[in-house]
Amino acid sequence: SYELTQSNSVSVALGQTARITCGGDDIGSRNVHWYQHKPGQAPVLVIFRDTNRPSGIPERFSGSNSGNTATLTIVRAQPGDEADYYCQVWLGRTFSVLFGGGTRLTV
Amino acid sequence: EVQLVESGGGLVHPGRSLRLSCVASGFALEDHAMHWVRQTPGKGLEWVSGITWNSEKIVYVDSVKGRFTVSRDNTKNSLYLQMDSLTREDTGTYFCARDRIVRSSSWYEFDSWGQGTLVLVSS
């Protein structure tokens, strides 16, 4: 079965760049979406289909996807960026949806 | 404004049932696929079930197949999750989420989420 692998945690200094990765077999051939989830709140879509940013999401957030790794990049990290970040793909053949295990970002 | 509001969670004994509801406002539910996603204690997000806009395709994660049933009533702008034979492993916060692309035969990103409803399965 398909698996998505994320690091448990990433720490970044204030104002620096955070990179959160999502590994999967040939993930570059799939659409990857990223969600930010803070405790007690609804998850928020921050990147969809690899590189696209929904309206209202700061330009500091960007995404890439190639080969076996998708990456969410947050430049000029702020305290408000502290959250759990999840990658997600749709497994078209089985019509199921898969989330990565999540990465806790600490600024 | 797009809004999703879940309800129906609570404390339930193992083996019992619970029905969750998700009421949508600010958009036409009938145009969108919808999903249930849960977060279990100490773990991350787990997709539970999805239903296409026209209910032609309904899919579940393996761990709930045969126990959970998703349905929708577009006339009431509502999504439901009937959960039977609950186990402690089903404990968590359940979110409903909207699939962004309208009337699609595929599934895409989840662009709107509710605040979630807490389900606690315990004796």
Side-chain angles (χ1 to χ4, degrees):
Chain A
S1 61
Y2 197 78
E3 293 183 357
L4 295 175
T5 303
Q6 295 185 242
S7 300
N8 285 336
S9 62
V10 167
S11 293
V12 63
L14 181 66
Q16 297 304 302
T17 298
R19 292 180 179 85
I20 298 171
T21 60
C22 176
D25 185 37
D26 194 27
I27 195 173
S29 66
R30 300 180 184 275
N31 286 319
V32 177
H33 318 301
W34 291 92
Y35 302 88
Q36 176 192 72
H37 191 204
K38 298 180 180 180
Q41 297 185 21
V44 174
L45 177 70
V46 294
I47 293 291
F48 65 95
R49 277 173 263 167
D50 300 340
T51 61
N52 298 279
R53 197 174 52 251
S55 60
I57 301 301
E59 292 183 5
R60 300 186 297 103
F61 288 77
S62 64
S64 63
N65 185 17
S66 178
N68 294 320
T69 305
T71 303
L72 172 68
T73 301
I74 306 170
V75 301
R76 299 186 298 282
Q78 303 297 312
D81 299 332
E82 286 200 337
D84 294 326
Y85 290 86
Y86 296 88
C87 57
Q88 178 238 310
V89 298
W90 175 56
L91 304 178
R93 187 175 61 82
T94 60
F95 236 94
S96 56
V97 173
L98 185 64
F99 285 92
T103 298
R104 174 148 300 176
L105 176 66
T106 302
V107 179
Chain B
E1 178 192 5
V2 172
Q3 195 169 13
L4 297 168
V5 179
E6 303 94 337
S7 62
L11 173 63
V12 61
H13 290 290
R16 303 302 292 268
S17 298
L18 214 54
R19 189 193 195 209
L20 306 183
S21 299
C22 170
V23 177
S25 59
F27 72 100
L29 184 75
E30 63 186 5
D31 288 336
H32 292 264
M34 296 295 295
H35 303 267
W36 287 99
V37 177
R38 67 185 178 186
Q39 181 178 30
T40 52
K43 296 185 179 180
L45 299 178
E46 179 185 35
W47 175 81
V48 174
S49 179
I51 180 169
T52 51
W53 66 277
N54 55 8
S55 301
E56 282 191 357
K57 193 75 172 180
I58 295 174
V59 188
Y60 303 93
V61 67
D62 284 349
S63 60
V64 309
K65 282 180 183 175
R67 300 188 300 120
F68 288 13
T69 303
V70 65
S71 62
R72 60 194 300 159
D73 185 343
N74 292 331
T75 64
K76 296 182 179 179
N77 246 23
S78 293
L79 175 75
Y80 305 102
L81 185 67
Q82 176 68 39
M83 305 187 295
D84 299 323
S85 304
L86 284 161
T87 72
R88 289 178 176 81
E89 288 67 41
D90 296 317
T91 291
T93 299
Y94 285 71
F95 300 94
C96 65
R98 184 183 82 165
D99 204 295
R100 194 173 73 91
I101 305 299
V102 299
R103 304 206 169 205
S104 173
S105 57
S106 302
W107 287 343
Y108 293 89
E109 59 275 9
F110 303 170
D111 69 335
S112 294
W113 297 64
Q115 292 290 327
T117 186
L118 179 62
V119 172
L120 178 60
V121 184
S122 176
S123 53

